[in-house]
């Protein structure tokens, strides 16, 4: 493709506008992917608003991409023209550091975002290192699988890495894009699952997605009632919460993992961590190998995103709906 056409933010917080760029020569290790679907992750909104100070304008957001391979670099032997692939947060890494050598490319210091310092998936095409274009199992619909490429792997990886199992009591804070996939994966891991939500109208769906219990966190005292109840709590919210209350909700040796990014540094009492031998951790997305595994698990356990489809041209409308917490549960842009 000589020019790629997409929708770009030209300044922090700006509406997306039509934008074309010349991708140059296809690199030997790259594929070009003709995009059919792209999820609207809340991280796109943070990037558009320049919340993390890493955005370079103009840029095209989008890192939950599904499409078909439309060009193959000269060194790529394991992707074919026309093959359906998915691309998530990461588009490249150095390939030679200790983390890349171990198959943990998401920890590479030189890892590159799909839409950080480059142009992402609110577009007709994108180019990435072929290793980061993951074949999608046939049984998964493109619209429902796109959100798994970032949101899905972000919640799958910590459940896997922290050894969640049928004996685990798991809490998921925030039932949005990430949270509604976390309920499904936690259930597939065999855990007893609780949804913590500020939206009471989500209770029935949260239960149908896998939650055994639902806690309305707008109720004062709700967290006190579940003190000492969870081995693993995953926070997917991008807002201030009663973090001390969530630490107290952990059982001894329990872990509170952050994948959502609160707006400011958080403050926590240390004593409950010490006496209960509790931990706090963070988790990023996952490696290409993790993505292969997660998609395979999703296919075998029938895990998919509940989506609201918007035409690509209505990306600004989708973004406003995500901001208002009105999407159930992931907006997906379709070409
Ligand atoms: P989302 O679809 O907007 O969902 C966020 C959910 O948080 C909402 O649905 C809502 O759930 C809850 N929430 C929102 N505002 C709240 C408030 N004021 N108080 C309490 N709860 C609130 O967002 P998302 O795409 O899932 O992303 C969530 C966060 O994860 C973002 O910060 C994003 O940047 C981050 N993220 C991190 C990674 C990573 O690699 N670690 C990857 C992807 C995304 P309820 O209605 O149930 O309360
Ligand atoms: Zn994302």
């Amino acid at each position: 493709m000589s020019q790629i056409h997409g929708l770009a933010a030209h300044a922090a917080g700006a509406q997306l506008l039509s934008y074309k760029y010349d991708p140059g020569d296809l690199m030997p290790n790259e594929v070009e992917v003709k995009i059919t679907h792209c999820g609207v992750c809340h991280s796109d909104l943070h990037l558009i608003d320049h919340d993390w100070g890493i955005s370079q304008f103009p840029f095209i957001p989008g890192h939950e991409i599904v499409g078909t391979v439309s060009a193959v670099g000269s060194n790529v032997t394991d992707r074919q023209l026309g093959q359906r692939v998915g691309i998530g947060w990461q588009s490249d890494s150095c390939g030679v550091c200790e983390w890349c050598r171990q198959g943990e490319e998401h920890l590479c210091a030189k890892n590159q975002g799909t839409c950080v310092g480059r142009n992402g998936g609110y577009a007709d095409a994108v180019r990435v290192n072929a290793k980061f274009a993951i074949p999608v199992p046939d049984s998964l619909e493109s619209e429902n699988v796109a959100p798994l490429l970032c949101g899905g792997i972000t919640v799958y990886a910590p459940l896997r890495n922290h050894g969640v199992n049928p004996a685990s009591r798991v809490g998921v804070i925030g039932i949005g894009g990430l949270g509604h996939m976390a309920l499904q994966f936690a259930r597939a891991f065999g855990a007893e699952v609780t949804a913590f939500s500020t939206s009471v109208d989500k209770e029935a769906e949260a239960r149908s997605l896998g939650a055994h219990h639902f806690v309305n966190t707008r109720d004062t005292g709700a967290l006190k009632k579940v003190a000492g109840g969870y081995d693993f709590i995953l926070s997917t919210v991008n807002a201030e919460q009663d973090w001390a209350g969530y630490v107290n909700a952990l059982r001894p040796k329990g872990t509170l993992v952050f994948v959502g990014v609160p707006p400011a540094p958080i403050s926590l009492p240390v004593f409950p961590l010490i006496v209960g031998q509790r931990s706090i951790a963070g988790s990023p997305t996952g490696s290409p190998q993790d993505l292969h595994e997660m998609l395979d698990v999703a296919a075998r356990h029938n895990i998919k995103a509940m989506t609201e489809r918007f035409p690509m041209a209505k990306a600004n409308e989708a973004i406003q709906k995500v901001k208002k917490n009105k999407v159930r549960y992931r907006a997906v842009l379709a070409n």
Side-chain angles (χ1 to χ4, degrees):
M1 202 171 276
S2 54
Q3 281 206 313
I4 291 181
H5 179 218
L7 291 164
H10 287 70
Q15 290 255 318
L16 305 183
L17 300 173
S18 176
Y19 177 69
K20 281 186 182 149
Y21 69 99
D22 180 353
D25 292 333
L26 186 70
M27 294 291 130
N29 67 350
E30 281 184 333
V31 287
E32 182 168 286
V33 174
K34 185 171 184 290
I35 296 168
T36 59
H37 297 82
C38 186
V40 179
C41 176
H42 213 114
S43 298
D44 290 329
L45 278 61
H46 290 303
L47 290 171
I48 293 166
D49 290 344
H50 206 11
D51 286 345
W52 300 333
I54 57 171
S55 311
Q56 291 165 35
F57 299 94
F59 83 102
I60 299 175
H63 58 272
E64 290 185 342
I65 299 167
V66 173
T68 52
V69 175
S70 50
V72 180
S74 56
N75 285 351
V76 177
T77 55
D78 52 358
R79 301 290 183 275
Q80 283 81 44
L81 281 178
Q83 186 175 13
R84 192 168 62 132
V85 293
I87 298 161
W89 176 256
Q90 195 177 352
S91 60
D92 206 353
S93 72
C94 82
V96 294
C97 73
E98 64 173 308
W99 303 105
C100 287
R101 290 202 313 271
Q102 292 172 49
E104 304 219 67
E105 292 87 345
H106 57 297
L107 301 178
C108 170
K110 294 182 180 158
N111 91 62
Q112 288 187 33
T114 299
C115 60
V116 182
R118 41 200 292 166
N119 289 307
Y122 297 7
D124 53 11
V126 70
R127 287 180 182 182
V128 299
N129 178 335
K131 190 198 262 188
F132 296 87
I134 316 295
V136 175
D138 287 343
S139 64
L140 299 170
E141 296 283 343
S142 297
E143 179 176 324
N144 310 108
V145 80
L148 291 172
L149 275 306
C150 172
I153 189 64
T154 300
V155 299
Y156 176 82
L159 291 165
R160 179 88 155 85
N161 294 336
H162 290 271
V164 167
N165 65 64
S168 307
R169 298 155 177 95
V170 168
V172 176
I173 314 173
I175 310 307
L178 267 59
H180 93 287
M181 293 186 268
L183 297 177
Q184 298 177 66
F185 278 117
R187 187 65 181 247
F189 277 77
E192 182 178 344
V193 184
T194 300
F196 290 94
S197 175
T198 62
S199 308
V200 278
D201 60 311
K202 293 180 180 175
E203 174 164 1
E205 271 165 351
R207 289 183 186 275
S208 74
L209 290 163
H212 298 87
H213 314 285
F214 184 92
V215 175
N216 172 6
T217 51
R218 292 213 192 272
D219 277 354
T220 35
L223 287 184
K224 282 214 175 80
K225 284 188 204 144
V226 296
Y230 302 91
D231 302 291
F232 181 87
I233 300 178
L234 185 68
S235 174
T236 75
V237 301
N238 52 327
E240 263 328 313
Q241 301 287 286
D242 176 8
W243 302 119
Y246 281 113
V247 168
N248 280 321
L250 291 171
R251 283 158 48 83
K253 292 194 168 183
T255 307
L256 169 62
V257 174
F258 287 91
V259 292
V261 189
I266 63 168
S267 158
L268 274 175
V270 166
F271 219 55
L273 297 176
I274 295 174
V275 292
Q277 215 176 303
R278 300 175 172 107
S279 313
I280 295 177
S283 186
T285 54
S287 68
Q289 179 48 39
D290 295 333
L291 281 161
H292 283 280
E293 180 185 293
M294 180 276 301
L295 289 177
D296 181 50
V297 170
R300 285 188 286 132
H301 291 265
N302 196 27
I303 291 171
K304 50 191 176 193
M306 275 177 75
T307 54
E308 280 188 32
R309 190 195 321 181
F310 294 78
M312 186 64 78
K314 297 221 163 142
N316 288 306
E317 213 174 277
I319 287 168
Q320 289 312 315
K321 201 165 178 189
V322 175
K323 270 200 178 145
K324 291 182 194 142
N325 192 15
K326 292 288 181 213
V327 172
R328 300 290 183 268
Y329 284 86
R330 189 55 122 200
V332 175
L333 307 174
N335 274 318

